[in-house]
Amino acid sequence: MAGVAGGNDFQWCFSQVKGAIDEDVAEADIISTVEFNHSGELLATGDKGGRVVIFQHEQECKNRPHLRGEYNVYSTFQSHEPEFDYLKSLEIEEKINKIRWLPQQNSAHFLLSTNDKTIKLWKIGERDKRAEGYNLKDEDGRLRDPFRITSLRVPVLMPMDLMVEASPRRVFANAHTYHINSISVNSDHQTYLSADDLRINLWHLEITDRSFNIVDIKPANMEELTEVITAAECHPNQCNVFVYSSSKGTIRLCDMRTAALCDRHTKFFEEPEDPSSRSFFSEIISSISDVKFSHSGRYMMTRDYLSVKVWDLNMENRPVETYQVHEYLRSKLCSLYENDCIFDKFECCWNGSDSAIMTGSYNNFFRMFDRNTRKDITLEASRESSKPRATLKPRKVSTGGKRKKDEISVDSLDFNKKILHTAWHPKENVIAVAATNNLYIFQDKIN
Amino acid sequence: MTLTLHHNMTCHPISMRVFFFYTVYCVFFCQHKEIDDNVISPEKAEEVKLKARYPHLGAKPGGSDLLRKRLQKGQKFFDSGDYNMAKAKVKNKQQLPAVTPAEKAEITGDHIPTPQDIPQRKPSIVASKLAG
């Protein structure tokens, strides 16, 4: 996957867009998470209304091999519903914070979805056969009069139209006092972790009435609270290792073999700050909104408000690579604080070969960085560039006084159009970008 | 940058000329550093702007205010006084004198969950428009 960002031969083009076009966006339709499964065949989205929609990659047409298959709706269900905790006087949103797929072990697909308080394991299974010729009931289900039955027959399995059913298999509830921000499936395929602002719990996928608390940073006196947990992830192949990031811009790597309670980290990653450049905003913009291990497990990537950093797990004192996402916002921090945009939590993702990374920005822009060529590109998810297989034109924000043609000035950016959630297919150059209530799918140009 | 001349004055009496030069040099250095800060760091310039608009911001230690707000997201407090005032406001359609809220704070009484407001368990209703 060479040169995915602005390389000579590489170009991204529009594939599909899902969702309504209306200007008036209902709060419930705002997409809150996007995730490909491990093969890339399925793409799941969660929204603020607690609903999950799963798309499936259709097989390519034999007649038109130059077209990659499309993603079409496979299943949709209501995962979480709004609740009110009367005891604590707390409103619990149904918004899906994260979806994580389990590796596939049989014909069914399993995923974990979570809101602020409860994690659920969903099974998505296919049914394409049904039994016909029952003795005790009619084809429409009504019970037959037993006195009318004069002969016995064996029911036969007959093919039927494919039906995809989603059913909740486990509900992992009541383990988090604070708001869950992350879930991560362990490489042992038996356990997973869930993290809230102050604690991280380890669960077994089969056991719902118990979980182990492995990190607790709640101070004895809440007045002394200085930082919260912002994200957590299990290592992709070392089942004893996980990391968690904080609102102070630090990452702690923990080894579950050292102790039952991993309050003492094994490694502590922090980039030293220049004390003379410290301002009121420093801590806020250093807060890490997402942490992701590379597929290889050698590196991890963190996203803070203005940049993306790649860390080598063997080097704790500084990142090995830093990419500026939208440095031009540094001189707008005052207004971004006033309109709360400075607290937006952007996610980031790796491509399948770890050679490129992607993250979102404002004005429906998203950015891609090629780690090998050091080139970067800014693209836009918009209806205007949504013609089938239309090549996406690189976008540029003008920072200086002179604005070139086709450039957009910082003051014209729409800060309500934020791309917080993006996902990259694990094997191919296909990306999913969530722009508020629309899901865009882009792919590379095949010639 | 503070000028600690007291120490010098008591231990090492210096001539007035040198003292004057030293004072001017210190003042010049301070001003120059401030100018440098604004030129070098757009972040600091933004901080100055913010402090001008909200002078009481950051008076309390640490980011603990922000953190506590984050931890308490979703909390609804019930106050019978506010509840009855809100009921009376709706009944009489009068504009009661409003207490100016602190910056970025919600007015309790406007957002309390009355039994009628609490969302009932939604049946699996409106399908997502992504699936349309």
Side-chain angles (χ1 to χ4, degrees), chain A residues 89 276 330-331 334 338, chain B residues 43-44 46 53 75-76:
Chain A
S89 208
S276 65
R330 200 180 285 270
S331 51
C334 182
E338 288 179 306
Chain B
E43 216 173 292
K44 283 251 171 81
E46 290 292 298
R53 290 187 208 175
Q75 195 110 36
K76 307 266 181 222

Side-chain angles (χ1 to χ4, degrees), chain A residues 35-36 38 98-105 110-113 119-121 172 182-195 201-205 232-242 256 293:
Chain A
E35 188 83 357
F36 280 99
H38 296 275
K98 285 284 180 333
I99 289 175
R100 289 288 182 263
W101 290 92
L102 266 58
Q104 194 175 8
Q105 290 173 324
F110 289 86
L111 61 79
L112 286 170
S113 71
I119 307 135
K120 294 188 185 179
L121 176 70
F172 305 91
S182 314
I183 47 175
S184 181
V185 183
N186 204 344
S187 55
D188 63 9
H189 302 171
Q190 291 186 342
T191 57
Y192 74 95
L193 61 75
S194 60
N201 293 331
L202 184 71
W203 301 83
H204 191 284
L205 285 164
E233 199 180 39
C234 289
H235 191 278
N237 44 56
Q238 291 170 37
C239 59
N240 52 299
V241 171
F242 66 95
M256 289 190 270
F293 279 106

Side-chain angles (χ1 to χ4, degrees), chain A residues 203-352:
Chain A
W203 301 83
H204 191 284
L205 285 164
E206 299 291 327
I207 300 168
T208 57
D209 61 352
R210 258 174 301 161
S211 77
F212 287 105
N213 175 243
I214 53 176
V215 173
D216 188 340
I217 66 167
K218 184 177 177 186
N221 180 1
M222 283 300 269
E223 299 283 315
E224 291 163 24
L225 182 70
T226 53
E227 65 183 329
V228 294
I229 298 170
T230 52
E233 199 180 39
C234 289
H235 191 278
N237 44 56
Q238 291 170 37
C239 59
N240 52 299
V241 171
F242 66 95
V243 291
Y244 67 95
S245 59
S246 84
S247 53
K248 276 186 160 177
T250 63
I251 309 103
R252 289 169 177 80
L253 184 144
C254 301
D255 185 337
M256 289 190 270
R257 296 173 302 188
T258 56
L261 191 59
C262 297
D263 277 359
R264 281 208 323 240
H265 53 263
T266 303
K267 292 194 184 183
F268 182 74
F269 298 83
E270 184 179 32
E271 183 166 27
E273 192 199 10
D274 178 11
S276 65
S277 67
R278 189 162 180 83
S279 75
F280 173 79
F281 303 110
S282 299
E283 190 170 310
I284 302 173
I285 62 172
S286 71
S287 175
I288 293 172
S289 50
D290 195 16
V291 65
K292 291 260 169 56
F293 279 106
S294 64
H295 292 91
S296 63
R298 165 90 190 266
Y299 299 96
M300 67 177 175
M301 163 168 59
T302 57
R303 175 70 156 97
D304 51 70
Y305 190 61
L306 298 178
S307 67
V308 183
K309 296 178 181 170
V310 176
W311 303 77
D312 184 325
L313 292 189
N314 298 317
M315 188 162 78
E316 300 167 54
N317 59 357
R318 58 181 170 82
V320 288
E321 294 155 34
T322 301
Y323 301 95
Q324 301 302 335
V325 182
H326 36 219
E327 181 67 12
Y328 46 79
L329 294 183
R330 200 180 285 270
S331 51
K332 300 284 171 197
L333 292 176
C334 182
S335 31
L336 292 168
Y337 179 87
E338 288 179 306
N339 61 19
D340 274 353
C341 282
I342 205 174
F343 301 106
D344 285 337
K345 296 178 177 52
F346 291 95
E347 291 174 8
C348 52
C349 60
W350 300 85
N351 71 343

Side-chain angles (χ1 to χ4, degrees), chain A residues 406-443:
Chain A
D406 283 354
E407 282 186 4
I408 182 165
S409 77
V410 183
D411 296 310
S412 312
L413 294 174
D414 188 343
F415 289 95
N416 290 319
K417 291 190 180 164
K418 16 191 146 201
I419 295 192
L420 304 173
H421 312 285
T422 58
W424 206 313
H425 190 290
K427 297 181 171 69
E428 295 170 12
N429 279 335
V430 177
I431 55 177
V433 174
T436 316
N437 62 329
N438 289 150
L439 182 73
Y440 286 82
I441 298 172
F442 303 108
Q443 61 192 38

Side-chain angles (χ1 to χ4, degrees), chain A residues 5-241:
Chain A
N8 295 330
D9 300 323
F10 197 90
Q11 282 184 314
W12 288 99
C13 57
F14 171 82
S15 176
Q16 297 168 270
V17 61
K18 308 276 185 193
I21 314 179
D22 357 297
E23 280 298 312
D24 227 4
V25 179
E27 178 99 0
D29 290 330
I30 297 175
I31 300 170
S32 51
T33 184
V34 187
E35 188 83 357
F36 280 99
N37 75 339
H38 296 275
S39 65
E41 184 208 349
L42 298 178
L43 174 62
T45 62
D47 64 21
K48 275 196 169 181
R51 298 163 300 194
V52 171
V53 182
I54 302 175
F55 302 93
Q56 183 186 42
H57 200 185
E58 299 292 335
Q59 292 303 319
E60 285 107 36
C61 285
K62 288 204 172 69
N63 306 334
R64 298 184 291 175
H66 59 279
L67 271 183
R68 240 192 256 280
E70 285 194 335
Y71 279 87
N72 294 321
V73 179
Y74 180 64
S75 173
T76 175
F77 53 93
Q78 183 84 31
S79 172
H80 287 72
E81 290 182 17
E83 290 173 63
F84 194 83
D85 182 337
Y86 296 97
L87 201 62
K88 293 182 190 158
S89 208
L90 196 69
E91 196 169 56
I92 303 170
E93 281 181 8
E94 67 274 35
K95 171 167 88 88
I96 309 292
N97 291 335
K98 285 284 180 333
I99 289 175
R100 289 288 182 263
W101 290 92
L102 266 58
Q104 194 175 8
Q105 290 173 324
N106 53 36
S107 59
H109 297 275
F110 289 86
L111 61 79
L112 286 170
S113 71
T114 186
N115 68 349
D116 282 339
K117 296 286 181 184
T118 306
I119 307 135
K120 294 188 185 179
L121 176 70
W122 287 88
K123 175 184 176 184
I124 297 106
E126 292 184 2
R127 192 194 290 263
D128 61 355
K129 292 183 267 295
R130 78 159 166 252
E132 280 177 21
Y134 283 102
N135 288 290
L136 297 177
K137 55 181 182 179
D138 284 339
E139 296 312 323
D140 54 9
R142 278 183 305 181
L143 290 173
R144 291 169 72 191
D145 182 359
F147 294 106
R148 295 270 177 86
I149 301 169
T150 52
S151 62
L152 268 179
R153 57 185 175 172
V154 178
V156 182
L157 286 177
M158 300 294 288
M160 61 179 253
D161 287 339
L162 180 68
M163 200 164 72
V164 181
E165 298 171 314
S167 55
R169 295 309 248 195
R170 307 269 186 277
V171 177
F172 305 91
N174 303 321
H176 285 279
T177 310
Y178 302 99
H179 300 294
I180 298 174
N181 52 55
S182 314
I183 47 175
S184 181
V185 183
N186 204 344
S187 55
D188 63 9
H189 302 171
Q190 291 186 342
T191 57
Y192 74 95
L193 61 75
S194 60
D196 67 28
D197 291 319
L198 296 178
R199 298 190 178 104
I200 301 180
N201 293 331
L202 184 71
W203 301 83
H204 191 284
L205 285 164
E206 299 291 327
I207 300 168
T208 57
D209 61 352
R210 258 174 301 161
S211 77
F212 287 105
N213 175 243
I214 53 176
V215 173
D216 188 340
I217 66 167
K218 184 177 177 186
N221 180 1
M222 283 300 269
E223 299 283 315
E224 291 163 24
L225 182 70
T226 53
E227 65 183 329
V228 294
I229 298 170
T230 52
E233 199 180 39
C234 289
H235 191 278
N237 44 56
Q238 291 170 37
C239 59
N240 52 299
V241 171

